[in-house]
Amino acid sequence: MSRLLSEEEYRHTRAFKIKRWYHGEKDPYIGSVEMKPQKPFKEDIAVQKKRIHDEAFLKRNIYDIEHNRKLQFFQKFYKVVSILFVFLLIGILLYMVSYLPPVGNAANPDNNEVAAKYIEDGMKDTGAVNIVTGMILDYRAFDTLGESNVLFIATCTVLILLRADSKSGKQQEEESDRLYEPKNDIIVQKVAFFLVPTIIIFGIYIILNGHLSPGGGFSGGAIIGSGLILYVNAFGFKKIERFFTQKTYKWICFVSLLFYCLAKAYSFYCGAHHLETGIPLGTPGDILSSGLILPLNICVGLVVACTMYAFYAMFRKGGF
């Protein structure tokens, strides 16, 4: 059984040092690497004269366009070849377009058994009335998982590039936040007081009915994200951070993507081995139907909503 370390002992552990480095409280290289002030650079007179002579020689013999025949020939040849290449590329593209099948022809490659399968057996296989939702969250759910992960990775990248120091400069951020977008506008706050709940409820409705009508996680999540952005513009980051912080965003995205991955991995495994998943599809048209599509829609909606707000917060002030 592990022993509970005291505060003094914990400060000498590697975990404490890694934690301080992660939060930017201490640079591990300061004090452990020899650091000497660099002397101002002074170029020798002879070296300076030699460098100036070499630069003049290069400019006179190589970069002198007016008298350099090889360079003049290359520039003319480059322009002619560029024009010929462009016309050749246009000709190839037009030639390939001439072989494309006519639009709407029943013999086109896109009119195959895959599309017919989605349309004819979509409701029976997925339980979703909305064929598009059944396709992206059942037949092609692996693609949707990749798209959701792309959103999360993009947010992490923006967080790495635009993150401001959480310790220093926080007061300055609040002052600039109040300067550029005042948080005491009574008109904006009163309008947002009525609009934000309506927008979020409508976004939830779009997510929960994605398998029954046009909508789903992507569109509903975008609506909820716009509601969060309106809220922060009306009331400021201080109020929204009471219930939505950087830690909240990380946990929501982590749990949503993990559930999506595990649920569809189970579904794909059973489908590949022709096993029954045991997940009922329900009655098509009911709110509790379509198997895993409803919870997957909720996961996608949460990821999209959090990503929209995270992008706005990062570009706005470099943090949540």
Side-chain angles (χ1 to χ4, degrees):
M1 185 174 180
S2 59
R3 182 175 62 88
L4 181 64
L5 299 177
S6 64
E7 183 68 23
E8 186 65 27
E9 292 175 331
Y10 174 67
R11 290 180 177 274
H12 291 85
T13 60
R14 187 182 299 272
F16 178 73
K17 296 178 181 179
I18 295 176
K19 178 182 177 182
R20 292 190 65 190
W21 169 79
Y22 176 76
H23 290 287
E25 298 175 2
K26 184 179 185 330
D27 191 338
Y29 294 104
I30 295 179
S32 57
V33 179
E34 184 180 3
M35 301 176 66
K36 294 182 179 180
Q38 188 177 7
K39 296 180 180 180
F41 175 73
K42 291 183 180 180
E43 191 175 18
D44 187 53
I45 301 297
V47 176
Q48 185 178 6
K49 290 182 179 180
K50 181 69 168 56
R51 179 176 56 80
I52 295 175
H53 175 268
D54 293 341
E55 291 177 355
F57 178 81
L58 290 173
K59 185 175 181 181
R60 182 174 61 255
N61 294 279
I62 297 178
Y63 297 104
D64 188 6
I65 302 176
E66 296 180 356
H67 302 90
N68 193 328
R69 294 184 178 180
K70 292 183 179 180
L71 189 58
Q72 291 177 352
F73 173 77
F74 175 77
Q75 288 185 343
K76 293 179 181 178
F77 177 77
Y78 180 80
K79 292 178 182 178
V80 173
V81 172
S82 300
I83 294 173
L84 292 176
F85 177 77
V86 170
F87 279 106
L88 177 64
L89 181 62
I90 293 174
I92 293 174
L93 293 177
L94 291 176
Y95 180 76
M96 296 304 296
V97 168
S98 65
Y99 279 90
L100 290 176
V103 179
N105 189 1
N108 288 351
D110 59 322
N111 295 327
N112 53 25
E113 65 275 5
V114 177
K117 172 69 175 179
Y118 292 161
I119 297 173
E120 296 174 1
D121 300 333
M123 185 181 299
K124 180 182 68 175
D125 294 340
T126 66
V129 178
N130 186 357
I131 300 176
V132 177
T133 302
M135 179 183 66
I136 65 176
L137 288 177
D138 193 283
Y139 291 117
R140 302 184 60 183
F142 188 76
D143 298 343
T144 308
L145 174 62
E147 295 168 6
S148 302
N149 279 280
V150 165
L151 292 176
F152 180 69
I153 295 172
T155 309
C156 293
T157 306
V158 174
L159 178 65
I160 294 171
L161 296 175
L162 299 182
R163 180 187 178 191
D165 192 355
S166 58
K167 299 296 182 183
S168 61
K170 193 170 184 179
Q171 183 178 0
Q172 184 179 358
E173 291 173 3
E174 291 294 332
E175 292 176 356
S176 63
D177 178 52
R178 182 174 293 276
L179 177 64
Y180 293 108
E181 293 190 23
K183 295 179 284 189
N184 295 329
D185 193 327
I186 191 65
I187 297 177
V188 176
Q189 290 182 349
K190 290 299 181 183
V191 172
F193 180 78
F194 293 100
L195 280 183
V196 171
T198 306
I199 293 173
I200 293 178
I201 291 174
F202 181 65
I204 295 173
Y205 167 80
I206 293 295
I207 293 175
L208 297 181
N209 286 270
H211 59 296
L212 304 178
S213 60
F218 286 102
S219 51
I223 295 172
I224 295 177
S226 64
L228 294 175
I229 294 173
L230 176 60
Y231 182 89
V232 77
N233 277 284
F235 302 102
F237 283 97
K238 189 174 182 180
K239 283 194 174 182
I240 200 171
E241 285 174 357
R242 296 177 182 176
F243 61 90
F244 196 102
T245 61
Q246 184 175 340
K247 185 179 293 186
T248 308
Y249 163 76
K250 291 178 180 179
W251 274 107
I252 290 177
C253 289
F254 172 74
V255 173
S256 299
L257 293 175
L258 181 63
F259 174 80
Y260 192 115
C261 183
L262 294 178
K264 290 313 296 181
Y266 168 73
S267 179
F268 290 152
Y269 178 83
C270 293
H273 294 81
H274 305 286
L275 301 174
E276 291 293 335
T277 61
I279 303 173
L281 298 179
T283 304
D286 292 348
I287 186 68
L288 297 177
S289 62
S290 70
L292 287 172
I293 291 181
L294 178 58
L296 294 182
N297 253 332
I298 296 174
C299 293
V300 173
L302 290 173
V303 173
V304 173
C306 293
T307 302
M308 282 193 59
Y309 172 74
F311 275 145
Y312 177 81
M314 295 304 303
F315 280 98
R316 165 80 177 273
K317 71 166 190 174
F320 288 82

